[in-house]
């Protein structure tokens, strides 16, 4: 066999066995996962902020998680329906709803949000620090939350309870975030017993993929670089408020605080979007701190990234469901 013919046959054999160094077919090229952004709101009190957040979602296609505090489904007259662990009946660190009409409006916002694909999670009830609570204490607090949510119409004497309300209240709440992000071994023992699928109370030094332990998927709010010196701060509006103004209102500097917050969110997003695509979690409250700087930054950020084709601004519940469907309970993205 001549050398030229042998070379041709050898090259053909390499191609036939797939050993040749050639670009893979386009269908075999790795498709990157969408970048997930998980935006949540703690306590979920103010009616105008319910409406504002839902309007933001409608503009951007986002789905949010609302971690509800059950005391906002009770009034001064009905607050005795709740007793926190080791607390007298009707005690709360964050107050109660101002009126029956306010509770009625909040229930309507909850129903509308759920119908639009948003998630209702639990932020417990009285916003107490449960770091020293026992497993039994946590189970009692979780039971109080479910009782108040299920019976909110009846407790407050509100007519027109939807036929499916109690079934919704019993089944829809699958996630939890602890007040003050205060966790303990007892909490993690109680969560699966109470039927929770995930917990979003953790804090990490940077965005990390959620992991599942003991049947409960654990998410963490990341610390992200912020400000001229790039110092780490938890990606939550209250922590930014303390960073920027020591927890005191400085509305005259709202524009500066907004810009710093937006740039911090965007830089954290860009790192994941261009890198490992670990989900980015951002936390908020319904309080407009420092002249609304943090909500303004949120609206700018969501308006820019949630509309991207390869980004999904998604609830915790839907992200957990996506993980289970993909069969990757200990992986993110």
């Amino acid at each position: 066999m001549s050398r030229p013919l042998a070379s041709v046959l050898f090259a053909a054999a390499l191609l036939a066995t797939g050993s040749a160094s050639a670009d893979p077919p386009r269908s075999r090229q790795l498709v990157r996962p969408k970048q997930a952004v998980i935006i949540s709101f703690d306590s979920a009190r103010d009616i105008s902020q319910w409406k504002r957040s839902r309007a933001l979602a409608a503009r951007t296609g986002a789905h949010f998680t609302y971690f509800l505090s059950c005391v906002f489904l009770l009034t001064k007259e009905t607050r005795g329906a709740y007793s926190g662990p080791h607390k007298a009946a009707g005690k709360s660190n964050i107050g109660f709803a101002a009126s029956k009409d306010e509770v009625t409006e909040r229930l309507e916002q909850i129903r509308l949000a759920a119908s639009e694909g948003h998630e209702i999670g639990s932020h417990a009830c009285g916003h107490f620090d449960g770091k020293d609570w026992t497993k039994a204490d946590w189970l009692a607090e979780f039971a109080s939350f479910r009782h108040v949510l299920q019976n909110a119409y009846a407790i407050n004497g509100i007519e027109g309870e939807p036929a499916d309300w109690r079934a919704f209240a019993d089944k829809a709440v699958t996630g939890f975030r602890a007040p003050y992000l205060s966790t303990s071994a007892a909490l993690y023992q109680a969560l699966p017993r109470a039927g929770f699928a995930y917990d979003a109370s953790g804090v990490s030094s940077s965005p990390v993929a959620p992991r599942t332990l003991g049947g409960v998927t654990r998410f963490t709010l990341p610390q992200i670089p912020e400000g001229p010196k790039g110092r780490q701060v938890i990606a939550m509006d209250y922590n930014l408020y303390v960073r920027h103004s020591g927890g005191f209102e400085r509305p005259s500097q709202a524009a500066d605080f907004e810009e710093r917050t937006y740039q911090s969110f965007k830089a954290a997003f860009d790192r994941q979007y261009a890198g490992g695509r670990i989900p980015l979690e951002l936390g908020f409250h319904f309080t407009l701190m420092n002249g609304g700087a943090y909500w303004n930054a949120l609206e700018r950020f969501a308006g820019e990234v949630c509309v991207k084709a390869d980004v999904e601004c998604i609830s915790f519940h839907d992200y957990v469901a996506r993980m289970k469907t993909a069969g990757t309970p200990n992986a993110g993205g």
Side-chain angles (χ1 to χ4, degrees), residues 50 53-55 57-58 62-63 66 109-118:
W50 274 102
S53 63
R54 290 177 44 240
H63 287 143
Y66 298 90
Q109 289 300 314
I110 290 170
R111 292 182 61 232
L112 287 170
S115 72
E116 292 160 358
H118 302 293

Side-chain angles (χ1 to χ4, degrees), residues 1 3-17 19-20:
M1 181 182 298
R3 179 175 291 275
L5 179 59
S7 298
V8 170
L9 292 175
F10 179 69
L14 285 175
L15 289 172
T17 60
S19 299

Side-chain angles (χ1 to χ4, degrees), residues 76-115:
K76 181 179 178 180
E77 291 72 29
T78 61
R79 63 184 181 180
Y82 166 64
S83 297
H86 315 292
K87 305 289 183 182
K91 296 293 183 181
S92 164
N93 273 353
I94 51 175
F96 295 86
S99 66
K100 176 179 173 179
D101 287 344
E102 183 189 303
V103 174
T104 303
E105 286 189 85
R106 188 166 295 108
L107 290 169
E108 178 67 8
Q109 289 300 314
I110 290 170
R111 292 182 61 232
L112 287 170
S115 72

Side-chain angles (χ1 to χ4, degrees), residues 201-264:
S201 309
V203 175
S204 54
S205 60
S206 62
V208 297
R211 57 192 184 126
T212 301
L213 297 172
V216 175
T217 301
R218 299 188 189 184
F219 291 88
T220 59
L221 280 166
Q223 296 184 67
I224 58 176
E226 188 277 334
K229 297 182 179 179
R231 292 189 297 138
Q232 297 284 93
V233 66
I234 296 173
M236 180 174 262
D237 56 357
Y238 178 76
N239 300 83
L240 288 157
Y241 176 56
V242 173
R243 162 69 60 81
H244 293 159
S245 60
F248 295 94
E249 286 295 316
R250 294 180 183 171
S252 63
Q253 295 178 254
D256 178 50
F257 297 150
E258 175 189 335
E259 183 63 21
R260 283 177 56 168
T261 299
Y262 167 78
Q263 293 296 341
S264 182

Side-chain angles (χ1 to χ4, degrees), residues 32 35 268-277:
R32 299 192 72 199
Q35 174 64 51
F269 170 85
D270 287 345
R271 270 189 292 277
Q272 294 308 318
Y273 186 66
R277 298 213 167 174

Side-chain angles (χ1 to χ4, degrees), residues 266-289:
K266 187 61 168 53
F269 170 85
D270 287 345
R271 270 189 292 277
Q272 294 308 318
Y273 186 66
R277 298 213 167 174
I278 294 170
L280 176 65
E281 299 172 42
L282 302 175
F284 297 86
H285 296 76
F286 275 11
T287 306
L288 294 178
M289 295 168 267

